[in-house]
Amino acid sequence: MIGLLVAVAASSAHFAYFEADRGVHIQVVPDDSELIDLRPMQPYAYINDNGMLVIDLSKYNGNWQEGFGEGVSPNSTYVFKEVFGVSNDLWEGTPICMHITYSGDGGVKFFVGNYTGQPGETTLDVTVMPGEVVPIGLILDSTGLVDGDAINGQVQFYAVPGPCEGE
């Protein structure tokens, strides 16, 4: 009877604490080596010394060469195809929805794949299947700008598992 009472009392105890040491290994790599990576596809897109993707249409671009221009014209619209690619090399084999958002100066918009006259988006959602690289283009509108002005901004990337809604 006492043995049964001890067994019942021991099984009704609440778990209070557990401690264990385990290893965590995370490699920090440049944008072009990530599991979801950003791949420069044109000379004006590159990975800088901090491992970040940079789009630079100026003479300060590390790939710039004498005689190839130093920027864009005022009051013009430019379309740059396949500026960078977004790839999905996750080990899980899961599609991802990549949210790409621009914030900053000027008329900077993005599009997926070939340019067919679309106006572009400042916020773009694109589904990237496992093992796929999706090319992203850039539309740059310098309307209202004059010689000496600059367009500066940030591109934010946010990925979530699964296909984008509406696709």
Side-chain angles (χ1 to χ4, degrees), residues 102 120 136:
Y102 174 78
I136 306 297

Side-chain angles (χ1 to χ4, degrees), residues 8-51:
V8 169
S11 67
S12 66
H14 295 286
F15 179 75
Y17 184 78
F18 174 78
E19 183 176 327
D21 291 329
R22 300 291 186 264
V24 174
H25 304 279
I26 300 170
Q27 180 72 33
V28 178
V29 298
D31 281 347
D32 61 346
S33 299
E34 295 178 275
L35 295 172
I36 300 171
D37 78 41
L38 306 174
R39 297 181 183 179
M41 300 177 84
Q42 300 294 338
Y44 37 83
Y46 63 93
I47 303 296
N48 71 9
D49 292 339
N50 293 329

